Amino acid sequence: MISIVSKIELGDNILKYTDVGYTTDVDLINQNGEIILNNTIPLEEGRGKGNLKIPKKATSGKYQIRAYTKWMQNNNPDFFYTKNIKIVNN
């Protein structure tokens, strides 16, 4: 099993970390737009660490990692963090 390790920092426009106990949801989305994996990462003082364990059944192809807080879901998803990645499964 392969993992993607992540570090998350949540702050305002001047990088003042929030004191509120947020969590961040991190999704792994396949080429069909389906969420194949979701992980909730707790944040303490605006920071958190976690990983996504890529399932062995994941086929090779292009995927997207998407991260957002519950509060961010009240706004346009265009503001969610996204990163396109390629997974090769031999």
Side-chain angles (χ1 to χ4, degrees):
M1 183 170 298
I2 302 294
S3 292
I4 298 173
V5 178
S6 62
K7 177 182 174 184
I8 297 171
E9 295 187 9
L10 178 66
D12 62 15
N13 292 344
I14 56 172
L15 291 179
K16 177 182 172 191
Y17 295 112
T18 180
D19 291 329
V20 180
Y22 283 109
T23 60
T24 297
D25 284 302
V26 181
D27 299 331
L28 181 64
I29 303 169
N30 68 14
Q31 299 175 84
N32 299 323
E34 301 165 330
I35 297 171
I36 64 163
L37 185 62
N38 173 274
N39 192 12
T40 300
I41 299 174
L43 302 177
E44 228 176 279
E45 294 184 6
R47 297 179 181 180
K49 290 188 273 186
N51 62 47
L52 289 174
K53 294 184 179 181
I54 309 300
K56 288 184 179 183
K57 65 180 181 176
T59 58
S60 295
K62 296 178 182 178
Y63 289 79
Q64 183 181 72
I65 296 174
R66 178 176 64 190
Y68 51 92
T69 64
K70 299 293 183 206
W71 180 81
M72 290 171 71
Q73 288 182 301
N74 294 321
N75 299 301
N76 189 329
D78 290 342
F79 295 107
F80 294 0
Y81 170 83
T82 58
K83 177 73 175 178
N84 294 320
I85 63 169
K86 185 175 184 178
I87 294 176
V88 178
N89 190 356
N90 294 327

